Amino acid sequence: MSAAEGPLVVGVDTSTQSTKALVVDAATGQVVAAGQAPHTVTTGAGRESDPRQWWDALCAALRQCGEAAREAAAVSIGGQQHGLVTLDEHGEPVRPALLWNDVRSARQARRLVAELGGPKAWAERTGSVPGASFTAAKWAWLAEHEPDAVRATRAVRLPHDYLTERLTGQGTTDRSDVSGTGWWASGTEAYDEETLAHIGLDPALLPRVARSGEVVGTVRDNHELPFSKGTLVAPGAGDNAAAALGLGLRPGTPVLSLGTSGTVYAVSERRPADPTGTVAGFADARGDWLPLACTLNCTLAVDRVAALLGLDREAVEPGGHVTLLPYLDGERTPNLPHASGVLHGLRHDTTAGQLLQAAYDGAVHALLGALDLVLDEDADRATPLLLIGGGARGTAWQQTVRRLSGRPVRIPEAGELVALGAAAQAAGVLTGEDPAAVARRWNTAAGTVLEAVERDGATLERISGVLSDAAPLLERETGAQ
């Protein structure tokens, strides 16, 4: 390992299934140490995790980084969005956190939209039409189903807030993550009193929203962590906003992220407000906006189909006319929280490889359908689509996105972009730089470009037709099936 040229910083990605930590040279962007530790997530009707696991995983990941973490001058945490963390008077979890992909709150989300003015009013006020993923719907679900837990709650946090607070002792969040709650008004950039009153959430329980570039505190003297006392702590960010920082993203460049969830987003200088609910009007971590569409079923769903077929995930075959909608966990885009997977067009000559390719096609179809809604009208459609996330390394994912989008596709060489974006934010609080400019200086978006091919409109049209025809079945609640 070569000697670092500048101060060291730490970027953290606390995701659904693990926490990753990178120690990065702020001058060059070189990763000098890395660590990772897993979390567990419940299965069944809900998706929950004990927040204390995130802290234990952070400690384990940082210990793996060794002495480099102790030399770091600043740290920032990027984290999974929407999760509801409820804490008691001692700062301990009242119950496990309700995660973003817990869709039990779908009914409460529909009710909130109807009771507070309808989709258009929500989009204008908060930038988004909340679905089951949004934290406001999860709080409403908790109030209805576990009122004792609500009564015991003395602080409400998002996942990255929880870890930042354990570092500093101060309750803070940032505009990117709070914009996914449903109780933050994007027009005024403040907590929305009407929404909070309606769901019975005292604003005193919520963290302060930190400014971009602000130092929110310093690391407390805590022997669990290898940080030096006084290490600066940056505001942190939601995972997609952190990845946007990690890419040094400029307005008009589209990103398609393939992970547990799939997302498509772009930075915009215009505040989004989509009344259809397809695009969430999130804030970014700098002062602009990050219109985004998200699917619940991406790499894990396709891997599950591959496992059921006894195939390697790359064992796809062309041909056939089978359609597979891989909505194994319900779906968010399109908004079908109670859906399950649908298979149509199966024939005697359909091969297992064609079925697997159909799962890829179905997963990508939903994301590409939202791409034009995410981009500003004047965005250059010839700009390469940045393909990131774990799936971006897979040939089958790359070729499916390329074929169905008809766009050139760039695959950045840099990995762990959420943690890199958090590291860029940490570097920014040290130097006073725009963290996106830090990432551009690090050249994180450099990578292979796959040239555009003719768009496979026939497959997209076939999937859209099956989705339309199957809508009554997909919209049924589980109990009615």
Side-chain angles (χ1 to χ4, degrees):
M1 184 181 73
S2 60
E5 295 183 17
L8 299 181
V9 294
V10 171
V12 175
D13 173 12
T14 181
S15 65
T16 313
Q17 308 208 27
S18 68
T19 291
K20 304 163 190 173
L22 301 180
V23 183
V24 180
D25 182 342
T28 65
Q30 178 190 3
V31 176
V32 301
Q36 178 174 350
H39 316 148
T40 59
V41 180
T42 62
T43 58
R47 295 290 186 274
E48 302 181 354
S49 287
D50 185 341
R52 289 169 291 204
Q53 283 195 16
W54 308 336
W55 178 256
D56 292 343
L58 174 62
C59 293
L62 287 168
R63 283 195 296 270
Q64 292 170 32
C65 294
E67 187 60 27
R70 193 174 304 280
E71 296 175 9
V75 59
S76 175
I77 296 175
Q80 56 174 308
Q81 291 189 256
H82 303 304
L84 175 63
V85 180
T86 51
L87 304 176
D88 63 19
E89 66 271 21
H90 304 295
E92 293 295 322
V94 171
R95 67 176 318 285
L98 298 169
L99 303 188
W100 61 274
N101 53 351
D102 189 320
V103 298
R104 287 176 292 178
S105 51
R107 187 174 300 174
Q108 286 74 24
R110 289 195 299 269
R111 190 176 69 228
L112 287 177
V113 172
E115 291 174 350
L116 288 178
K120 188 172 186 295
W122 272 93
E124 290 175 351
R125 187 172 69 252
T126 70
S128 304
V129 181
S133 296
F134 279 62
T135 327
K138 298 185 185 305
W139 177 263
W141 181 90
L142 193 66
E144 184 175 331
H145 292 273
E146 299 181 21
D148 288 346
V150 166
R151 283 191 287 269
T153 297
R154 295 295 178 269
V156 171
R157 301 291 185 261
L158 297 165
H160 105 262
D161 306 343
Y162 171 77
L163 293 177
T164 299
E165 186 167 357
R166 288 199 63 168
L167 287 175
T168 66
Q170 305 295 317
T172 59
T173 189
D174 89 298
R175 70 192 294 270
S176 73
D177 215 357
V178 76
S179 66
T181 60
W183 57 57
W184 185 80
S186 62
T188 60
E189 301 212 20
Y191 287 123
D192 187 71
E193 295 180 2
E194 181 182 8
T195 301
L196 292 172
H198 192 80
I199 62 176
L201 178 55
D202 183 349
L205 303 185
L206 299 175
R208 180 178 66 84
V209 182
R211 301 182 308 277
S212 176
E214 178 184 345
V215 175
V216 299
T218 58
V219 174
R220 293 185 291 181
D221 189 8
N222 187 316
H223 297 294
E224 292 181 277
L225 295 174
F227 288 125
S228 299
K229 185 179 180 181
T231 300
L232 302 181
V233 181
D239 51 5
N240 292 295
L245 288 183
L247 289 164
L249 205 61
R250 297 183 188 274
T253 300
V255 177
L256 198 157
S257 177
L258 302 168
T260 304
S261 64
T263 55
V264 59
Y265 56 85
V267 169
S268 175
E269 295 174 350
R270 306 168 189 168
R271 185 175 74 90
D274 176 17
T276 73
T278 301
V279 175
F282 294 153
D284 78 350
R286 296 172 54 256
D288 288 328
W289 304 94
L290 198 73
L292 177 148
C294 177
T295 63
L296 295 182
N297 299 278
C298 195
T299 57
L300 285 184
V302 172
D303 284 353
R304 179 59 180 154
V305 172
L308 287 171
L309 296 170
L311 296 178
D312 181 90
R313 62 168 63 98
E314 295 289 340
V316 296
E317 295 179 21
H321 294 88
V322 66
T323 298
L324 203 165
L325 305 178
Y327 302 161
L328 308 189
D329 280 323
E331 192 45 82
R332 173 169 166 176
T333 303
N335 185 21
L336 297 165
H338 303 293
S340 55
V342 170
L343 177 63
H344 180 266
L346 194 63
R347 299 288 187 182
H348 280 290
D349 60 354
T350 303
T351 68
Q354 289 170 347
L355 269 178
L356 181 56
Q357 181 61 68
Y360 279 95
D361 290 349
V364 171
H365 169 269
L367 290 165
L368 293 181
L371 181 60
D372 286 340
L373 295 174
V374 164
L375 287 167
D376 291 337
E377 291 180 3
D378 55 357
D380 183 357
R381 265 50 184 176
T383 301
L385 178 64
L386 294 180
L387 193 63
I388 67 171
R393 306 296 175 181
T395 301
W397 281 111
Q398 293 171 6
Q399 296 306 321
T400 301
V401 171
R402 189 183 182 200
R403 175 174 53 85
L404 295 183
S405 71
R407 300 179 68 123
V409 174
R410 181 190 296 274
I411 304 155
E413 293 176 6
E416 307 303 345
L417 286 163
V418 174
L420 268 180
Q425 189 187 66
V429 301
L430 284 178
T431 66
E433 291 177 90
D434 175 349
V438 171
R440 289 194 288 271
R441 177 161 56 76
W442 293 349
N443 202 23
T444 54
T448 302
V449 176
L450 305 177
E451 296 301 323
V453 298
E454 184 178 357
R455 186 167 176 259
D456 184 1
T459 294
L460 292 170
E461 185 176 351
R462 172 167 46 80
I463 297 171
S464 294
V466 172
L467 177 59
S468 177
D469 292 343
L473 181 65
L474 292 167
E475 290 169 357
R476 291 183 190 173
E477 294 195 24
T478 303
Q481 292 179 355

